[in-house]
Every structure is written in C-alpha cells, then in structure tokens.
Amino acid sequence: MDCVSVIRDNTDIIEEIKNNVAMPNYLKIKTYKDYLINEKKYYYPDMLIEWIAREHLGLQRTEEQLFKIREEAYNNMKRIEEEDKIGEEQCKKIEEENKIKIL
C-alpha cells in the first residue's frame, strides 16, 4: 500500500508542476529538482538531476539549445587552451630569466 501512495505522490507532484501554466519552464525544472533532492534524497550531480527533471516534466532541450550548449563548450575549451599556451610561454620566460640570473 505504501508503494502505491509513493508512486501516486510522485505523479501528483509531476502533474501539479506540469499543469501550472503560470510557472515558467525554468522554475518548473528548479522546483522538481528541489523535490528530487530534498524529498526523494537524490544525491547525483546537478546536470543529471536536471536531465531527470526535464525528462519527467517533458521539457527536453531543443536541437537549437543543444547546439548552443555545444558551441559554448567548444568556445570555452578553445579559450582555456589559449590561456594554457600563454601560461606555458610565461613559465618558460620566467625559467629562462631565472637561469640567466643564476649564471
């Protein structure tokens, strides 16, 4: 009997959030994520919990949103690579200066 009530409670929460027209999608996701973390005790990375919330609420990302996320990640990766190159060059210069000072 308890299992049935738990399932019913979970679907009631999902339906309540889904049917709340006044609530924007980002807030629906946040509310359900909070429910999963606080009530259901899901202790997973934030990205995974967001994916679960989106799947349960039927708010999957569009191809356009996924493209933007991939593009942002690629741009961040390139920026980090450039910063690494600059940092390595600066380290080499400092090492050379230290060698000259020692000699």
Side-chain angles (χ1 to χ4, degrees):
M1 198 65 123
D2 289 341
C3 291
V4 174
S5 67
V6 168
I7 292 172
R8 190 175 305 132
D9 289 344
N10 191 24
T11 56
D12 289 344
I13 294 288
I14 292 172
E15 290 304 317
E16 183 180 322
I17 293 171
K18 275 185 182 180
N19 295 331
N20 190 342
V21 180
M23 188 183 290
N25 287 344
Y26 76 90
L27 196 54
K28 288 179 182 180
I29 294 167
K30 183 185 180 321
T31 303
Y32 192 63
K33 280 173 49 178
D34 291 345
Y35 168 76
L36 290 175
I37 292 169
N38 297 327
E39 300 296 322
K40 293 296 185 177
K41 306 297 183 205
Y42 280 25
Y43 298 115
Y44 298 107
D46 189 52
M47 190 169 78
L48 182 61
I49 291 180
E50 181 173 340
W51 180 77
I52 292 169
R54 284 179 175 278
E55 287 293 316
H56 286 185
L57 295 171
L59 298 172
Q60 294 84 2
R61 295 184 189 274
T62 64
E63 285 297 320
E64 187 176 300
Q65 289 173 323
L66 291 173
F67 179 77
K68 286 180 182 178
I69 290 170
R70 288 184 193 115
E71 191 174 333
E72 273 183 38
Y74 179 76
N75 290 337
N76 286 338
M77 182 182 70
K78 286 295 185 184
R79 180 183 51 81
I80 290 170
E81 286 175 358
E82 288 296 319
E83 289 174 357
D84 285 346
K85 286 179 186 177
I86 291 170
E88 288 174 7
E89 290 172 2
Q90 289 176 347
C91 284
K92 286 180 183 178
K93 285 180 184 178
I94 291 171
E95 287 175 2
E96 288 176 12
E97 289 173 1
N98 287 341
K99 285 181 183 177
I100 293 172
K101 288 180 183 177
I102 292 174
L103 295 177

